[in-house]
Amino acid sequence: MKNKIDFSPVISALEQKEHFIIASHVLPDGDSLGSTLSLGLALKKLGKKVEMICPDAIPQKYSFLPGSKYLKREMPSSYHDDTIVFILDCSDEERLGDLFTNLSSLPIINIDHHSSNTYFGQVNIVKEDAAATGQIIFYLLEQLDLLDPEIALNLYVAIVTDTGSFKFANTTAEAHFICAKLLSFNLEPDVVSQKVFDEKPISTMLLLKEALGSLCLEKHGVK
């Protein structure tokens, strides 16, 4: 399978500019975090000045992701004149919460896979048939020859979570093909699965205990 996405506006921005902000949406999931971190780490490899912003707290299950220490909750107090913003995995401005008020005056590159995307950026790369935004970021970073084990892990988590561990209807041969390439970086899919899907905080288990204890069985099902 070959990448058919025109990344020339993005590559041009990377060649001409030095300062970037990468923004994740509110209530971050594996795709938004994995995409943000993989792109952020890649830009750091290029020697760029990068701020990675996530408006909400990172769920504990994603704290193992490489680069998560760079994520900040708040915007920088000032911007450089050449700053460009990447907004990833956001179908519209509202998914950024209050962040968009601070970002709307800056040039925006919008990269997403949702069919409901409103094309709010100056550059819009929206691939509706992609299983995850991480799939689009993969093609960009592969084209730039920036993939490495840490970036691969973030991209793998982005795709595996948005496909529900390859159980959702958006799972495609292309998604499997990309993940096969990512696994070649010696990732441990069993460890990822355990951390992302199996480990639960004690509060969740206690809540489940209470819920199960209140179930009543009847002849025609559960009440």
Short mmCIF file of all heavy atoms in Angstrom, two decimals, residues 28 42 48 51 60 67 70 96 101 107 120 123 125 137 144 151 158 165 185-186 208-209 220:
data_model
loop_
_atom_site.label_atom_id
_atom_site.label_comp_id
_atom_site.label_asym_id
_atom_site.label_seq_id
_atom_site.Cartn_x
_atom_site.Cartn_y
_atom_site.Cartn_z
N PRO A 28 -8.56 13.66 26.21
CA PRO A 28 -7.66 13.01 25.25
C PRO A 28 -7.77 11.49 25.25
O PRO A 28 -7.92 10.87 26.30
CB PRO A 28 -6.26 13.45 25.72
CG PRO A 28 -6.43 13.72 27.18
CD PRO A 28 -7.81 14.30 27.30
N ALA A 42 9.06 13.81 16.62
CA ALA A 42 9.67 13.90 15.30
C ALA A 42 10.19 15.31 15.02
O ALA A 42 11.30 15.49 14.50
CB ALA A 42 8.67 13.49 14.22
N LYS A 48 13.44 21.38 15.84
CA LYS A 48 12.44 22.43 15.94
C LYS A 48 12.11 22.72 17.41
O LYS A 48 12.30 21.88 18.28
CB LYS A 48 11.17 22.04 15.19
CG LYS A 48 11.38 21.65 13.73
CD LYS A 48 11.93 22.80 12.90
CE LYS A 48 12.09 22.41 11.44
NZ LYS A 48 12.64 23.52 10.62
N GLU A 51 6.03 22.97 21.31
CA GLU A 51 5.20 22.92 22.51
C GLU A 51 4.06 21.95 22.24
O GLU A 51 3.33 22.09 21.25
CB GLU A 51 4.62 24.30 22.84
CG GLU A 51 5.65 25.36 23.16
CD GLU A 51 6.15 25.27 24.60
OE1 GLU A 51 5.65 24.41 25.35
OE2 GLU A 51 7.02 26.08 24.96
N GLN A 60 -4.20 7.89 33.20
CA GLN A 60 -3.06 7.16 33.73
C GLN A 60 -2.59 6.06 32.79
O GLN A 60 -1.39 5.78 32.67
CB GLN A 60 -3.42 6.55 35.10
CG GLN A 60 -2.31 5.75 35.76
CD GLN A 60 -1.07 6.57 36.06
OE1 GLN A 60 -1.18 7.76 36.33
NE2 GLN A 60 0.10 5.94 36.03
N GLY A 67 7.58 10.52 25.61
CA GLY A 67 7.39 11.94 25.36
C GLY A 67 6.28 12.57 26.16
O GLY A 67 6.07 13.78 26.10
N TYR A 70 6.55 15.85 28.09
CA TYR A 70 6.57 17.15 27.42
C TYR A 70 5.18 17.79 27.32
O TYR A 70 5.09 18.98 26.98
CB TYR A 70 7.14 17.00 26.00
CG TYR A 70 8.57 16.55 25.94
CD1 TYR A 70 8.93 15.36 25.31
CD2 TYR A 70 9.59 17.32 26.50
CE1 TYR A 70 10.25 14.94 25.25
CE2 TYR A 70 10.92 16.91 26.44
CZ TYR A 70 11.23 15.72 25.82
OH TYR A 70 12.55 15.31 25.77
N LEU A 96 -11.34 21.57 21.03
CA LEU A 96 -10.16 22.11 21.69
C LEU A 96 -10.50 22.84 22.98
O LEU A 96 -9.61 23.22 23.73
CB LEU A 96 -9.43 23.08 20.75
CG LEU A 96 -8.65 22.44 19.61
CD1 LEU A 96 -8.20 23.53 18.65
CD2 LEU A 96 -7.46 21.67 20.13
N THR A 101 -9.40 29.65 21.47
CA THR A 101 -9.38 31.11 21.58
C THR A 101 -7.96 31.63 21.48
O THR A 101 -7.70 32.66 20.84
CB THR A 101 -9.99 31.54 22.93
OG1 THR A 101 -11.33 31.05 23.01
CG2 THR A 101 -10.01 33.06 23.04
N PRO A 107 -1.48 30.55 12.27
CA PRO A 107 -1.70 29.63 11.14
C PRO A 107 -1.90 28.21 11.66
O PRO A 107 -1.13 27.73 12.49
CB PRO A 107 -0.41 29.75 10.33
CG PRO A 107 0.21 31.02 10.76
CD PRO A 107 -0.17 31.22 12.19
N PHE A 120 -11.26 23.72 9.39
CA PHE A 120 -11.07 25.01 10.02
C PHE A 120 -9.65 25.56 9.91
O PHE A 120 -9.38 26.67 10.36
CB PHE A 120 -11.45 24.93 11.51
CG PHE A 120 -10.73 23.84 12.26
CD1 PHE A 120 -9.47 24.05 12.78
CD2 PHE A 120 -11.33 22.59 12.42
CE1 PHE A 120 -8.80 23.05 13.46
CE2 PHE A 120 -10.67 21.58 13.12
CZ PHE A 120 -9.40 21.81 13.63
N VAL A 123 -4.40 24.99 6.38
CA VAL A 123 -4.07 23.76 5.67
C VAL A 123 -4.89 22.64 6.31
O VAL A 123 -4.91 22.50 7.54
CB VAL A 123 -2.57 23.43 5.77
CG1 VAL A 123 -2.29 22.06 5.15
CG2 VAL A 123 -1.73 24.51 5.09
N ILE A 125 -5.61 18.54 6.15
CA ILE A 125 -5.32 17.20 5.64
C ILE A 125 -6.24 16.25 6.37
O ILE A 125 -6.00 15.85 7.51
CB ILE A 125 -3.84 16.83 5.85
CG1 ILE A 125 -2.95 17.80 5.05
CG2 ILE A 125 -3.58 15.38 5.42
CD1 ILE A 125 -1.47 17.55 5.20
N ILE A 137 -0.39 10.52 10.39
CA ILE A 137 0.91 10.96 10.90
C ILE A 137 1.99 9.94 10.54
O ILE A 137 3.13 10.31 10.23
CB ILE A 137 0.86 11.19 12.41
CG1 ILE A 137 -0.19 12.25 12.77
CG2 ILE A 137 2.23 11.60 12.95
CD1 ILE A 137 0.06 13.61 12.18
N LEU A 144 9.22 11.39 5.72
CA LEU A 144 10.33 12.21 6.19
C LEU A 144 11.46 11.38 6.80
O LEU A 144 12.46 11.94 7.26
CB LEU A 144 9.82 13.23 7.22
CG LEU A 144 8.85 14.29 6.70
CD1 LEU A 144 8.28 15.10 7.85
CD2 LEU A 144 9.54 15.20 5.69
N ILE A 151 8.64 6.85 18.56
CA ILE A 151 7.59 7.37 17.68
C ILE A 151 6.67 6.23 17.24
O ILE A 151 5.44 6.38 17.21
CB ILE A 151 8.21 8.09 16.47
CG1 ILE A 151 8.86 9.40 16.93
CG2 ILE A 151 7.18 8.33 15.38
CD1 ILE A 151 9.68 10.11 15.87
N ALA A 158 -1.94 4.91 18.97
CA ALA A 158 -2.96 5.72 18.31
C ALA A 158 -3.90 4.86 17.47
O ALA A 158 -5.13 4.99 17.54
CB ALA A 158 -2.30 6.78 17.42
N SER A 165 -8.56 -2.15 19.50
CA SER A 165 -7.72 -3.34 19.41
C SER A 165 -8.13 -4.19 18.20
O SER A 165 -8.22 -5.42 18.28
CB SER A 165 -7.80 -4.18 20.70
OG SER A 165 -6.78 -5.14 20.74
N PHE A 185 9.72 -2.24 14.85
CA PHE A 185 10.60 -1.48 15.73
C PHE A 185 10.70 -2.14 17.11
O PHE A 185 11.02 -1.49 18.10
CB PHE A 185 10.09 -0.05 15.86
CG PHE A 185 10.33 0.80 14.64
CD1 PHE A 185 9.39 0.87 13.63
CD2 PHE A 185 11.51 1.51 14.49
CE1 PHE A 185 9.61 1.65 12.50
CE2 PHE A 185 11.75 2.29 13.37
CZ PHE A 185 10.80 2.35 12.36
N ASN A 186 10.42 -3.44 17.15
CA ASN A 186 10.52 -4.23 18.39
C ASN A 186 9.57 -3.76 19.49
O ASN A 186 9.93 -3.73 20.67
CB ASN A 186 11.97 -4.23 18.91
CG ASN A 186 12.93 -4.91 17.96
OD1 ASN A 186 12.61 -5.94 17.37
ND2 ASN A 186 14.11 -4.33 17.78
N LEU A 208 -17.32 -0.95 39.77
CA LEU A 208 -17.86 -2.14 39.12
C LEU A 208 -18.41 -3.12 40.14
O LEU A 208 -19.46 -3.73 39.94
CB LEU A 208 -16.77 -2.80 38.28
CG LEU A 208 -17.16 -4.08 37.54
CD1 LEU A 208 -18.27 -3.80 36.54
CD2 LEU A 208 -15.94 -4.67 36.82
N LYS A 209 -17.72 -3.27 41.26
CA LYS A 209 -18.18 -4.15 42.33
C LYS A 209 -19.55 -3.72 42.84
O LYS A 209 -20.45 -4.55 43.02
CB LYS A 209 -17.16 -4.12 43.48
CG LYS A 209 -17.60 -4.90 44.72
CD LYS A 209 -16.60 -4.73 45.84
CE LYS A 209 -17.11 -5.40 47.12
NZ LYS A 209 -16.18 -5.18 48.26
N HIS A 220 -36.55 -13.13 32.22
CA HIS A 220 -36.29 -12.70 30.85
C HIS A 220 -35.02 -11.85 30.71
O HIS A 220 -34.85 -11.17 29.72
CB HIS A 220 -37.49 -11.93 30.31
CG HIS A 220 -38.74 -12.74 30.26
ND1 HIS A 220 -38.90 -13.82 29.41
CD2 HIS A 220 -39.87 -12.68 31.00
CE1 HIS A 220 -40.09 -14.37 29.61
NE2 HIS A 220 -40.70 -13.68 30.57
#
